[in-house]
Every structure is written in structure tokens, then in C-alpha cells.
Amino acid sequence: RSDGGCTEIARVSDYYVRRMERIGDAVILFGPLGSFPVVIDIADPAHPRVAFSSNASGFPNALFSSPYIILTSNVQDGDAMHPVRFKVYRVSARAEVIPEGEFTADTWIVGIVSGDRAYGRNYFDGSTISILEGSVSSGFTTVATMTGYLFDDIAGAAPPYFVVDGGLWKLSGR
């Protein structure tokens, strides 16, 4: 409208949304933990349509790193012998969702910072933060970890310990 207000022209219902992202005509809806992402095509705003709704068994959560939707497996505690699996879908500006394959990581990824850096956490103790290198095509590997305070010291004695390039370091002062 010319007066700065908004007019509803269509409604998409039946979704609880905690986060939305947009790429061109694609609006990506992320619900609560344990719900699958949904891609809505708004090329015709008066008639939005569901372009993609994941139902990948064993992959109940998702994260977003443009232009990718990354489904995360329900195994949240990985290591080199038991990697966490992720499914990758590329979202185009025309709301097309294309499967790109799978990758693995040695810990549960929480977010991707750039094309080759990610961060995650050890789900078992929740206080170990992992910094990972890699890509959505080849997978990610932990290159550094940082421990936080834990009541029973599972994360590696008392903080602040860091593992960098295979060595254990302790921050003792500034």
C-alpha cells in the first residue's frame, strides 16, 4: 500500500516457526527442535505453495547456511570412529530444492560460519565447543576445542583448556 501499511494477500498456516530465511522466491521455515524445515515458494504471492518439506527419517533437525539447508541426524555425540551424519539440500532463488548429498563430522555442528569453518559442541557434556574445518561436500573435522566449566570435570579438568593442532594448551593469563 502507498500509506506504508501492509495488506495480507495470502496466508500459510499450520506451521510453528522459530526462524525464517529467504533466498529469492523461497521462504524457508524452521520450526522447533525436532521439526523438519519447510520451503514455501512465494513467486506468486497470492498463491504460495510448499516447494519442499523434509521427512528424512533420522534427521529431525536442521541448520541453515545460505544457500544450503542442512539436516542434522538425531545422533548428537560423534567422534572420528562414529561420525555425525548430515544431509545437504541447495535452495535456489526460484525455490527449487536440490539434494546435494551427505557429509559427516566428528561432532555435532551447530552452525557454519563460512564455506570452510563451522562450530559445534559435544552433546554429552555440553561444555566443549568445537571449531571445525571442511566443507558441506567433503565433511568437517574438529581442529580446535575449548572447554568450559563442568561440575564433574568431564570436559577436561578445569577451564580454560584448548586443543589446538593436537596440543593441549591452558590459558593462564592475558
Side-chain angles (χ1 to χ4, degrees):
R1 296 180 359 197
S2 62
D3 64 357
C6 296
T7 302
E8 181 179 303
I9 57 172
R11 182 175 292 204
V12 177
S13 59
D14 299 328
Y15 295 104
Y16 172 80
V17 178
R18 83 177 152 79
R19 180 176 170 200
M20 290 190 299
E21 297 290 343
R22 183 170 177 193
I23 299 176
D25 292 334
V27 175
I28 305 152
L29 309 177
F30 295 91
L33 200 61
S35 66
F36 299 114
V38 175
V39 177
I40 307 291
D41 182 351
I42 60 168
D44 179 358
H47 302 96
R49 67 174 185 85
V50 174
F52 173 81
S53 181
S54 171
N55 61 355
S57 179
F59 292 83
N61 306 303
L63 59 104
F64 180 73
S65 181
S66 187
Y68 300 108
I69 294 173
I70 301 167
L71 302 182
T72 62
S73 70
N74 54 8
V75 175
Q76 299 174 354
D77 194 18
D79 58 34
M81 297 298 292
H82 306 93
V84 181
R85 292 176 45 223
F86 301 85
K87 287 187 180 225
V88 181
Y89 296 87
R90 185 170 46 84
V91 181
S92 77
R94 295 188 323 226
E96 299 167 323
V97 181
I98 301 107
E100 291 280 314
E102 294 187 18
F103 71 88
T104 60
D106 58 5
T107 192
W108 195 42
I109 293 177
V110 176
I112 297 178
V113 180
S114 65
D116 64 348
R117 295 264 196 260
Y119 63 96
R121 65 185 168 94
N122 182 306
Y123 191 76
F124 175 70
D125 64 39
S127 69
T128 303
I129 306 298
S130 299
I131 306 301
L132 301 100
E133 284 185 345
S135 70
V136 296
S137 59
S138 64
F140 286 88
T141 304
T142 299
V143 294
T145 59
M146 180 178 74
T147 62
Y149 179 76
L150 245 182
F151 296 111
D152 57 7
D153 294 331
I154 292 173
Y161 285 91
F162 301 86
V163 175
V164 179
D165 292 330
L168 181 64
W169 298 79
K170 180 179 181 183
L171 180 64
S172 59
R174 294 187 188 264

